[in-house]
Amino acid sequence: MNNLGNATFENYVGSLTGYSEMAYQMSAHVLTLGYAIMLAALFYFILTIKTVAPKYRTSSVLSVVVMVSAFLLLLVQQQNWTGSLSFDPGSATYKLADSSDLFNNGYRYLNWLIDVPMLLFQILFVVTLTKSNFSSVRNQFWFSGAAMILTGYVGQYYEVTSPVTFFIWGTISTLFFVHILILMKRVIDEGKEGAPAQAQKYLGYIWVLFLVSWMLYPGAYLMPYLFSLSLEPALTETAVVGRHITYTIADVSSKVIYGILLTLTAQEMSKAEGYDYEKIETAL
Amino acid sequence: MNNLGNATFENYVGSLTGYSEMAYQMSAHVLTLGYAIMLAALFYFILTIKTVAPKYRTSSVLSVVVMVSAFLLLLVQQQNWTGSLSFDPGSATYKLADSSDLFNNGYRYLNWLIDVPMLLFQILFVVTLTKSNFSSVRNQFWFSGAAMILTGYVGQYYEVTSPVTFFIWGTISTLFFVHILILMKRVIDEGKEGAPAQAQKYLGYIWVLFLVSWMLYPGAYLMPYLFSLSLEPALTETAVVGRHITYTIADVSSKVIYGILLTLTAQEMSKAEGYDYEKIETAL
């Protein structure tokens, strides 16, 4: 095996077999789709901010913050992909380019360092906690959110060179994730109490979406091993493309669709509290 | 030691030992995180401007100015990092690239030349000075702020080639910093008088945040010597990564978190003076 140091498995594949036209392009396109959706959704969240009562607008502001940071970091992530590989006419594959950057998913991770605390914080501006303390839940969200990301970030450097280190960091990260899941379930259950029927329905969707979309991240982290089902990472382009697709689906669901569902929930709550957006906009 | 002239220690490390995958990537990611947070926070300051009474809005405008300039200069700073190094397959490290730019933290310094006067000026639009004269404090802030940055900027060129020159400029810069600290303490103490209780609490946080986050800058300036604890700079990648992380934490705290705390303070003061944002937004 080539010596690429602590490089991710994307680089080892790029150095050993290279990528077929289809695998390379699919990855480039999916990564581009990811940041394009973030920029498009940014406009949605700005333009719909007044459809909810003022006290719910912080949720839209936080969606905007998430969209901007995700847009930029996913843009750089895509450029990192196309910049680290170049077409080799001899083998008709994309190989690791000479004297350039290697590919690393770390841009995503450091994006989550902003987004995860913001996404968890965001729902607290839509639901009303009936039993839990706002500051306590917020601080636990922030602590476990940041700890989950940072431990996963360190772990990913070892995905090829040291599977044991990789799994240990992954396990620590997962413990923080479980804590977040427990907290989120409690927040949503409390939020449903006293909410209008339609808002309760949306909060139910948010829980399912949260559970499924956040579960995709550990799946993507483990991708090289999910494809090998052994203690040797699968150095195949299918696992690489699978990871790009999984991360993109996860990012779009956990940030964009989640934010839209929160806006819809807040709209129902605003209406139930007498905030009439249509009337305000048509008043003379 | 290679002769790189007055280049910073980041280049000497890149020329001598090179950077491991982890050190190079962590730096690239942290630098990217820095400018992404600035652009995301730009939207926060624009979207929350109406939550404070008109007389406090200059503070949000100045945060916007700071975010735009910091975004651009930190973006260039990141590109400077990735552009100055390239992966060397022989050693599996990132080495100083041939015939390209060297790395220099000067982009940060010239960003601070805009930001430091603005950040110091900004608080004067939120607090009410009871004893000090507004114009006098502003002029002292501007003079010492600019002098602190310019002397530090000149000093950093000598961090490898002439430790004595480096420390002399650093010391002069620190004297201006001490002057700023004394002024800021006075501004915050006067601002607390007559402010509502919750605003007083936020102003207390701002003082602690200011003290800690601004102290990180001299720490980052001295980083090569903090790691060697001698009159020879430590040419290690750990010191380089440590400096990038320190600068990023300092920039985010002293610009973004500081600006958010000033917004929260201004919201409390606006409320106490009868400015009701929610009522204005729902009025027919």
Side-chain angles (χ1 to χ4, degrees), chain B residues 215-229:
Chain B
M215 283 284 194
L216 293 174
Y217 292 104
Y221 181 87
L222 292 173
M223 200 62 88
Y225 294 91
L226 291 184
F227 270 75
S228 73
L229 293 176

Side-chain angles (χ1 to χ4, degrees), chain B residues 20-251:
Chain B
S20 67
E21 169 74 1
M22 201 161 164
Y24 170 81
Q25 296 285 1
M26 267 196 183
S27 303
H29 303 151
V30 165
L31 290 166
T32 305
L33 179 70
Y35 72 75
I37 291 181
M38 298 301 153
L39 194 66
L42 169 66
F43 284 81
Y44 169 85
F45 291 114
I46 292 175
L47 293 170
T48 57
I49 199 162
K50 288 202 165 177
T51 63
V52 300
K55 69 170 185 172
Y56 298 118
R57 291 184 193 163
T58 307
S59 169
S60 300
V61 174
L62 292 175
S63 272
V64 165
V65 168
V66 167
M67 292 308 117
V68 173
S69 69
F71 163 70
L72 274 177
L73 281 145
L74 296 178
L75 170 65
V76 176
Q77 189 73 72
Q78 198 274 350
Q79 291 176 332
N80 185 205
W81 172 256
T82 51
S84 67
L85 298 160
S86 68
F87 187 70
D88 165 44
S91 61
T93 61
Y94 287 82
K95 292 267 193 190
L96 207 58
D98 284 342
S99 29
S100 74
D101 252 8
L102 298 189
F103 179 81
N104 190 286
N105 280 300
Y107 295 102
R108 283 191 189 284
Y109 280 84
L110 290 211
N111 169 230
W112 301 329
L113 200 57
I114 313 174
D115 291 353
V116 163
M118 293 303 113
L119 291 168
L120 297 172
F121 193 27
Q122 188 178 0
I123 194 168
L124 300 179
F125 288 94
V126 176
V127 307
T128 309
L129 297 177
T130 50
K131 290 185 280 289
S132 307
N133 177 273
F134 183 94
S135 312
S136 161
V137 173
R138 178 198 60 203
N139 294 346
Q140 290 183 65
F141 267 158
W142 285 1
F143 177 79
S144 285
M148 173 179 81
I149 298 309
L150 288 173
T151 49
Y153 176 64
V154 175
Q156 60 114 18
Y157 281 100
Y158 300 98
E159 65 184 17
V160 178
T161 50
S162 172
V164 175
T165 317
F166 174 71
F167 284 117
I168 290 172
W169 284 110
T171 307
I172 299 171
S173 180
T174 306
L175 294 176
F176 291 110
F177 176 45
V178 171
H179 180 223
I180 290 169
L181 281 181
I182 293 167
L183 277 179
M184 183 54 92
K185 180 82 178 94
R186 204 201 300 162
V187 165
I188 289 178
D189 284 346
E190 290 186 26
K192 278 183 179 173
E193 293 171 26
Q198 187 61 36
Q200 285 189 14
K201 212 170 120 186
Y202 287 134
L203 286 170
Y205 295 158
I206 289 173
W207 170 241
V208 176
L209 177 85
F210 187 84
L211 199 62
V212 173
S213 64
W214 286 53
M215 283 284 194
L216 293 174
Y217 292 104
Y221 181 87
L222 292 173
M223 200 62 88
Y225 294 91
L226 291 184
F227 270 75
S228 73
L229 293 176
S230 77
L231 272 175
E232 279 288 309
L235 298 174
T236 68
E237 62 175 31
T238 320
V240 171
V241 178
R243 183 188 263 183
H244 291 311
I245 294 175
T246 306
Y247 274 141
T248 303
I249 293 175
D251 276 344

Side-chain angles (χ1 to χ4, degrees), chain A residues 3 6 50 54-55 57 61 64-65 68 72-73 76 99-102 104 106-107 110 114 153 157 275 280, chain B residues 21-22 24-26 28-30 32-33 35-37 39-40 43 78 86-87 92 94 277-278 281-282 284:
Chain A
N3 178 20
N6 274 343
K50 288 205 162 176
K55 68 173 186 169
R57 292 184 191 164
V61 173
V64 166
V65 166
V68 173
L72 272 178
L73 282 146
V76 175
S99 21
S100 73
D101 256 6
L102 300 188
N104 190 285
Y107 293 103
L110 289 212
I114 312 173
Y153 176 65
Y157 281 101
Y275 175 84
I280 289 167
Chain B
E21 169 74 1
M22 201 161 164
Y24 170 81
Q25 296 285 1
M26 267 196 183
H29 303 151
V30 165
T32 305
L33 179 70
Y35 72 75
I37 291 181
L39 194 66
F43 284 81
Q78 198 274 350
S86 68
F87 187 70
Y94 287 82
Y277 167 67
E278 297 200 5
E281 288 290 312
T282 51
L284 285 177

Side-chain angles (χ1 to χ4, degrees), chain A residues 9-278:
Chain A
F9 91 113
E10 286 87 350
N11 302 292
Y12 282 93
V13 177
S15 155
L16 295 168
T17 56
Y19 292 95
S20 66
E21 170 74 2
M22 198 161 165
Y24 170 81
Q25 296 287 1
M26 264 195 183
S27 303
H29 304 153
V30 165
L31 289 166
T32 304
L33 180 68
Y35 71 77
I37 291 179
M38 297 301 154
L39 192 64
L42 168 66
F43 287 90
Y44 169 84
F45 291 113
I46 291 175
L47 293 171
T48 56
I49 200 161
K50 288 205 162 176
T51 63
V52 301
K55 68 173 186 169
Y56 298 118
R57 292 184 191 164
T58 307
S59 169
S60 301
V61 173
L62 291 175
S63 271
V64 166
V65 166
V66 168
M67 292 308 118
V68 173
S69 67
F71 163 70
L72 272 178
L73 282 146
L74 296 178
L75 171 66
V76 175
Q77 190 72 73
Q78 198 274 350
Q79 291 176 332
N80 185 204
W81 173 256
T82 51
S84 67
L85 298 160
S86 65
F87 187 71
D88 166 43
S91 62
T93 61
Y94 286 82
K95 292 266 193 190
L96 207 59
D98 284 343
S99 21
S100 73
D101 256 6
L102 300 188
F103 179 81
N104 190 285
N105 280 300
Y107 293 103
R108 283 191 189 283
Y109 280 83
L110 289 212
N111 169 230
W112 301 329
L113 199 57
I114 312 173
D115 290 353
V116 163
M118 293 303 115
L119 291 167
L120 297 172
F121 192 28
Q122 187 178 1
I123 193 167
L124 300 179
F125 288 94
V126 176
V127 306
T128 308
L129 297 177
T130 50
K131 289 185 280 290
S132 307
N133 177 274
F134 181 94
S135 312
S136 161
V137 173
R138 178 198 59 202
N139 295 345
Q140 289 184 66
F141 267 159
W142 285 2
F143 177 80
S144 285
M148 174 179 79
I149 299 307
L150 288 174
T151 48
Y153 176 65
V154 175
Q156 61 114 16
Y157 281 101
Y158 300 99
E159 63 183 18
V160 177
T161 50
S162 173
V164 175
T165 317
F166 173 72
F167 284 115
I168 290 172
W169 284 110
T171 308
I172 298 170
S173 180
T174 307
L175 294 176
F176 290 110
F177 177 46
V178 171
H179 179 222
I180 290 170
L181 282 180
I182 294 167
L183 276 178
M184 184 53 94
K185 180 82 178 95
R186 204 202 300 162
V187 166
I188 290 179
D189 284 347
E190 289 187 27
K192 279 183 179 173
E193 292 171 26
Q198 186 61 35
Q200 285 189 15
K201 212 170 118 185
Y202 287 135
L203 285 169
Y205 296 158
I206 288 173
W207 170 243
V208 176
L209 177 84
F210 187 84
L211 200 61
V212 174
S213 63
W214 285 54
M215 283 284 194
L216 294 175
Y217 291 104
Y221 180 88
L222 293 172
M223 200 61 87
Y225 294 92
L226 292 184
F227 271 75
S228 73
L229 293 175
S230 78
L231 271 175
E232 280 287 310
L235 298 174
T236 68
E237 61 174 33
T238 320
V240 170
V241 178
R243 183 187 263 181
H244 290 312
I245 294 174
T246 308
Y247 273 141
T248 304
I249 294 174
D251 275 344
V252 172
S253 339
S254 68
K255 293 172 177 60
V256 180
I257 303 178
Y258 172 78
I260 293 172
L261 283 174
L262 280 176
T263 301
L264 296 174
T265 312
Q267 284 172 352
E268 293 301 324
M269 289 176 166
S270 303
K271 249 186 260 170
E273 288 159 18
Y275 175 84
D276 192 334
Y277 169 66
E278 299 199 4

